[in-house]
Amino acid sequence: KNPFEETADGDVYYPERCCCIAVCAHQCLRLLQQASLSSTCVQILSGVHNIGICCCMDPKSVIIPLLHAFKLPALKNFQQHILNILNKLVLD
C-alpha cells in the first residue's frame, strides 16, 4: 500500500515514522499537480530540486507529478529542467 495515499476528501495520512523531508516533498509535488501558473510550477520545481526527496517516499508519488508537469504546455520551455530534476532524484 502506498504510505502517502490520499483519502476521498483529499487528506493524506502520513505514517508515524515518516520524515519531515518526505512530507514536505510530497506536499510540494501535490501542489505541482494543482498549480495553474507556470511561475508557481517553476518555484515548486526549484524547491523540490534543491531540497530533494527521501528514500522512504513511494517512487510513484514522485514520478507521476513530475511527468504531469513535463506534459503541461505552459512548462514546455522547462522540460529539460524537469528531466534534470527527475534524473537527480532517481539517481540520488
Side-chain angles (χ1 to χ4, degrees):
K1 183 179 177 185
N2 178 0
F4 304 121
E5 197 166 313
E6 294 182 38
T7 63
D9 57 356
D11 289 337
V12 178
Y13 296 102
Y14 296 100
E16 186 176 316
R17 295 190 175 257
C18 182
C19 72
C20 61
I21 291 176
V23 172
C24 291
H26 185 258
Q27 287 295 321
C28 286
L29 291 167
R30 286 181 69 209
L31 285 173
L32 183 62
Q33 290 183 289
Q34 299 169 4
S36 58
L37 297 174
S38 62
S39 59
T40 303
C41 291
V42 170
Q43 291 296 322
I44 294 169
L45 288 168
S46 294
V48 172
H49 182 260
N50 291 331
I51 294 169
I53 59 170
C54 181
C55 62
C56 71
M57 292 183 71
D58 175 50
K60 182 179 174 183
S61 67
V62 175
I63 294 171
I64 289 177
L66 289 173
L67 290 178
H68 170 77
F70 184 80
K71 292 190 273 185
L72 290 175
L75 295 178
K76 185 174 174 104
N77 295 336
F78 298 98
Q79 286 180 335
Q80 187 59 48
H81 182 63
I82 295 167
L83 288 176
N84 288 341
I85 293 170
L86 191 56
N87 183 45
K88 177 187 181 241
L89 297 178
V90 169
L91 293 177
D92 285 349

